[in-house]
Amino acid sequence: MTDQSNPPPKAPPRTVPVKSATFDDVTLSEIRRAAATGIYDIRGGGAKRHLPHFDDLLFLGASMSRYPLEGYREKCGTEVVIGARHAKNPIILKTPITIAGMSFGSLSAQAKEALGRGANAAGTSTTTGDGGMTPEEREHSNLLVYQLLPSRYGMNPDDLRKADAIEVVVGQGAKPGGGGMLLGQKISERVAKMRTLPEGIDQRSACRHPDWTGPDDLEIKIQELREITGWRVPIYIKVGASRPYYDVALAVKAGADAVVLDGMQGGTAATQNVFIEHVGIPTLAAIRPAVQALKDLGMHRTVQLIVSGGIRNGADVAKALALGADAVSIGTAALVALGDNDPVWEDEYRALGTTAGAYDDWHEGNDPAGITTQNPALAARLDPVAAGRRLANYLNVMTLELQTIARACGKSHVLNLEPEDLVALTVEAAAMAGVPLAGTSWIPGRPD
Amino acid sequence: MTTATMTNTGVLDLSALSLREANETLQAATEGAFTIVNPGGRHAIACGLEHPVSVTIEGHTGYYCAGMNKNADVTIRGNAGTGLAENIMSGTVRVTGDASQAAGATGHGGLVVIEGNASARCGISMKGVDIVVGGNVGHMSAFMAQAGNLVVLGDAGEDLGDSIYEARLFVRGTVARLGTDCVEKEMRPEHLAFLADILKRAGMDADPRDFRRYGSARTLYHFKIDNAGAY
Ligand SMILES: Cc1cc2nc3c(=O)[nH]c(=O)nc-3n(C[C@H](O)[C@H](O)[C@H](O)COP(=O)(O)O)c2cc1C
């Protein structure tokens, strides 16, 4: 018989096993991967870590002292003109949401076509990328921005003269200071030919331009580009967000008509993970210094600021514009609208050792959605017409969301949004965006 | 492209005309011969030409002279600044004196002749152009050179052909140091024949047998951990 008052001895209570916040599962798996392979991790996409972002800002909306506009009845303009500083033919966008530069090579021809179709329907521009301009993308984009990159792959004066604008790429938010890479799996015969490289090799793009170094040289380079194109088209300079005040000031000095500023959340086709996650600053932190540089030079709204890196919806667009941008650019979100990372392909993502929403091995060319690939069978899965329609829908939704917010703030044009319309939810965001912490008049780092 | 033939032979004086006016005239002409006087080291002279016109520049030019040239034949009787004939597609660009950095950079085709010396990074990222240099070339020449030929009658500076792809390099003099993944290669009959032809086209008097050939060892074509030290 057991004595109820004397329970048998048990193991003493123990603390549940604790995993380190420093050495978390992801970190541990990366150490094991590095130890096994001896090579750094390369992936696509932008910074995945949590960063201060547009979600940390809110609009105040109209109140006793501000009149809202009537939704659907009172006009709220969205048209934006880019590049009137020097160009005879500036770009006129119906909506201030453009498609960022993504190369043919990193994307399939079908994906490039779909981007053009979607952008056309929404009245906005698309951009070429490292590797040159394909006839298809020129044909399917009413407004096409032609990138001049350090590699100069596929660069030629005929395409330059066909472009509606030229974008001199100094850097990208995902990798400020880094060159490009396109791994052999994606160097198909056509991609190799366009880049004048052997098929199937791992291709490296330079990180510095071959024929100019500093901003003084760039000024002369821009003069050459203008002479070749008869001063017709705008010339943008794209920089990754790192020292935005100085970079924007120097871009203006070099003669840019517009500056594209890409924050660290900005996507890439293929870059070292360590680069993506640890170099550059968040989009939110970059906008105010950039706008300040333009204002200090008397160039705000004369030289347009196009902001990219983690733009997902109309609210993000509205916040970027309120902080002083003239337009935004989207890469990742546009690919998602086409069908990237769609759960319909979950079985195939599983087979690749990942899951929908996390798939970022865009450099490997096995994209089940047929977007970041040169494999003809996979690429054929994307119907450019239907995908273009989805992108157009998405761009239209973002524009409507942007107008909804602008009207709520009493603005008859989206460019009338201003920092005064915003507050921040966190001290960090308040400091970076230069707007008060909600419910206070406190802007960290600013004298009262 | 205009179908009407526009011949406009004449002298363009850059002390009287703006650069834009001079370039507009050159770019619009579909044939003919022009002389540019008083270039004054101006940048971007005769860039973006598309048609088989002939242009002689009497004096020194600044950056990007004859940039992105197609079909035209441009001669600079003087020295040329940075980025001479950058991204040239076709045609010929000749300098009677020296050329500064990045001459013939990223050129896709055509012929660039530098009768004097070329500075650093001559033929950087070249993609098919032929470049003939009568004198020496500076350091990092043919860096990441993808295709085409660089022929140097004098000496080459340090790190010639660093990270080179499929371009061919021919040097008659000494090479201070070869760049990463650039190696000496055997001179075969086809190379001698090629040299004889290009030297003739460049108007250079040299014996093909005096040259050595350099090109890619192709060890950097795939990211491999064993190459980590080379990157
Ligand atoms: C697949 C892919 C390819 C890209 N290729 C280029 C390129 O060739 N040149 C360039 O300047 N930026 C390139 N980018 C960066 C985009 O232009 C843009 O800066 C970035 O995607 C914006 O951030 P988001 O992706 O968060 O919208 C690429 C981005 C992606 C996702």
Side-chain angles (χ1 to χ4, degrees):
Chain A
M1 275 188 74
T2 51
D3 181 349
Q4 296 295 316
S5 63
N6 253 337
K10 281 198 301 195
R14 293 181 58 184
T15 310
V16 294
V18 177
K19 289 193 175 176
S20 165
T22 307
F23 290 90
D24 60 9
D25 281 346
V26 175
T27 307
L28 295 174
S29 64
E30 170 53 16
I31 292 173
R32 284 188 284 268
R33 192 205 59 76
T37 64
I39 188 92
Y40 41 52
D41 185 27
I42 296 172
R43 68 171 176 88
K48 290 189 169 185
R49 59 151 93 204
H50 184 81
L51 291 165
H53 199 36
F54 293 120
D55 285 341
D56 300 323
L57 301 181
L58 295 173
F59 281 99
L60 291 173
S63 53
M64 295 280 277
S65 57
R66 309 267 184 293
Y67 293 128
L69 298 188
E70 288 290 357
Y72 309 109
R73 273 197 287 276
E74 286 176 305
K75 199 174 164 335
C76 175
T78 58
E79 187 174 293
V80 172
V81 178
I82 311 276
R85 181 188 184 195
H86 294 298
K88 276 181 221 152
N89 306 330
I91 295 261
I92 299 168
L93 302 171
K94 288 213 185 101
T95 178
I97 309 165
T98 65
I99 306 301
M102 292 180 277
S103 62
F104 166 71
S106 75
L107 301 185
S108 67
Q110 289 88 333
K112 289 296 281 181
E113 179 182 333
L115 292 174
R117 288 177 177 276
N120 285 353
T124 190
S125 61
T126 63
T127 314
T128 65
D130 209 2
M133 182 191 288
T134 62
E136 295 97 315
E137 73 180 325
R138 178 60 279 187
E139 187 189 329
H140 294 290
S141 300
N142 294 343
L143 293 173
L144 180 60
V145 183
Y146 186 37
Q147 287 196 329
L148 181 92
L149 295 115
S151 71
R152 308 280 167 89
Y153 291 138
M155 165 56 54
N156 79 63
D158 298 330
D159 290 342
L160 197 68
R161 284 182 281 259
K162 277 185 219 149
D164 300 297
I166 299 164
E167 184 169 302
V168 180
V169 179
V170 176
Q172 256 179 262
K175 45 174 176 178
M181 49 172 75
L182 192 65
L183 300 191
Q185 301 92 311
K186 290 175 80 171
I187 309 281
S188 66
E189 191 185 340
R190 182 171 182 203
V191 172
K193 197 151 176 273
M194 277 181 74
R195 298 176 185 224
T196 329
L197 283 172
E199 223 177 299
I201 71 166
D202 292 334
Q203 164 261 286
R204 307 152 270 157
S205 304
C207 62
R208 293 202 302 263
H209 281 262
D211 56 353
W212 61 269
T213 31
D216 295 332
D217 285 6
L218 178 53
E219 187 172 353
I220 305 170
K221 185 75 203 170
I222 287 178
Q223 184 193 7
E224 183 208 9
L225 296 171
R226 291 198 195 278
E227 283 294 320
I228 294 174
T229 54
W231 294 73
R232 283 185 303 275
V233 302
I235 298 189
Y236 309 175
I237 295 179
K238 176 174 181 175
V239 293
S242 58
R243 298 176 186 83
Y245 182 88
Y246 295 105
D247 286 344
V248 169
L250 291 170
V252 170
K253 191 249 169 211
D257 293 306
V259 182
V260 180
L261 179 68
D262 191 26
M264 76 178 280
Q265 295 98 324
T268 169
T271 300
Q272 298 93 330
N273 180 64
V274 71
F275 213 145
I276 301 174
E277 296 288 358
H278 298 278
V279 185
I281 65 172
T283 307
L284 183 68
I287 303 177
R288 288 310 287 275
V291 172
Q292 193 58 47
L294 293 171
K295 287 190 168 157
D296 289 351
L297 294 166
M299 286 289 175
H300 191 221
R301 305 289 187 223
T302 300
V303 170
Q304 282 72 39
L305 179 69
I306 304 171
V307 165
S308 59
I311 303 276
R312 305 154 296 175
N313 51 45
D316 289 349
V317 183
K319 289 167 187 175
L321 298 190
L323 293 176
D326 295 274
V328 302
S329 210
I330 58 168
T332 305
L335 300 187
V336 172
L338 298 189
D340 174 71
N341 266 292
D342 192 318
V344 294
W345 304 108
E346 183 59 14
D347 290 347
E348 298 191 33
Y349 288 124
R350 291 279 160 130
L352 293 169
T354 181
T355 181
Y359 177 65
D360 60 10
D361 287 327
W362 297 346
H363 57 292
E364 290 180 350
N366 300 323
D367 187 354
I371 296 169
T372 58
T373 183
Q374 293 300 319
N375 174 325
L378 292 173
R381 290 179 175 180
L382 189 79
D383 172 358
V385 176
R389 186 68 247 158
R390 288 194 293 275
L391 176 61
N393 286 341
Y394 169 59
L395 288 167
N396 290 340
V397 168
M398 283 212 279
T399 306
L400 289 170
E401 289 173 344
L402 166 62
Q403 286 175 304
T404 301
I405 287 173
R407 282 201 183 91
C409 296
K411 314 296 186 194
S412 59
H413 195 286
V414 293
L415 288 186
N416 294 341
L417 287 163
E418 55 194 322
E420 196 273 335
D421 294 315
L422 291 169
V423 291
L425 285 169
T426 67
V427 176
E428 289 85 350
M432 290 179 186
V435 300
L437 187 65
T440 79
S441 57
W442 181 43
I443 305 177
R446 301 268 170 102
D448 295 332
Chain B
M1 203 183 291
T2 145
T3 44
T5 299
M6 184 170 164
T7 310
N8 200 344
T9 307
V11 175
L12 303 171
D13 183 349
L14 276 180
S15 68
L17 292 172
S18 70
L19 177 72
R20 186 79 287 264
E21 289 166 329
N23 278 339
E24 242 172 354
T25 304
L26 295 175
Q27 289 167 354
T30 51
E31 59 184 47
F34 296 84
T35 303
I36 293 184
V37 296
N38 298 312
R42 275 195 188 70
H43 307 303
I45 297 174
C47 65
L49 303 190
E50 292 181 70
H51 307 298
V53 294
S54 148
V55 182
T56 304
I57 303 168
E58 296 289 351
H60 308 311
T61 60
Y63 285 42
Y64 313 128
C65 184
M68 303 210 186
N69 188 61
K70 269 183 77 183
N71 298 314
D73 193 347
V74 179
T75 300
I76 300 154
R77 287 156 51 86
N79 302 322
T82 295
L84 168 77
E86 64 86 18
N87 214 83
I88 178 174
M89 305 302 293
S90 60
T92 305
V93 176
R94 175 183 293 272
V95 193
T96 61
D98 299 330
S100 185
Q101 301 180 48
T106 77
H108 284 73
L111 175 65
V112 178
V113 180
I114 297 154
E115 295 184 3
N117 301 307
S119 181
R121 291 182 279 281
C122 179
I124 182 171
S125 291
M126 55 195 277
K127 296 167 170 52
V129 64
D130 291 329
I131 305 175
V132 180
V133 182
N136 307 326
V137 296
H139 64 266
M140 294 294 267
S141 286
F143 174 57
M144 292 183 94
Q146 298 171 219
N149 298 279
L150 173 64
V151 179
V152 182
L153 276 70
D155 303 331
E158 291 179 338
D159 298 324
L160 177 73
D162 196 282
S163 305
I164 187 172
Y165 292 98
E166 295 295 304
R168 298 188 301 190
L169 316 179
F170 301 93
V171 183
R172 186 169 66 167
T174 59
V175 173
R177 186 175 66 206
L178 288 174
T180 298
D181 210 30
C182 185
V183 292
E184 184 169 352
K185 297 193 164 186
E186 181 198 359
M187 268 285 207
R188 294 194 298 266
E190 72 257 33
H191 303 122
L192 292 169
F194 165 77
L195 271 177
D197 173 61
I198 197 166
L199 288 165
K200 191 161 152 230
R201 284 194 286 132
M204 299 276 180
D205 185 20
D207 185 342
R209 286 169 303 187
D210 293 341
F211 287 78
R212 288 162 174 247
R213 180 168 77 98
Y214 305 90
S216 182
R218 303 188 179 96
T219 60
L220 298 184
Y221 278 16
H222 296 281
F223 289 114
K224 280 199 275 260
I225 182 56
D226 305 328
N227 290 333
Y231 292 121

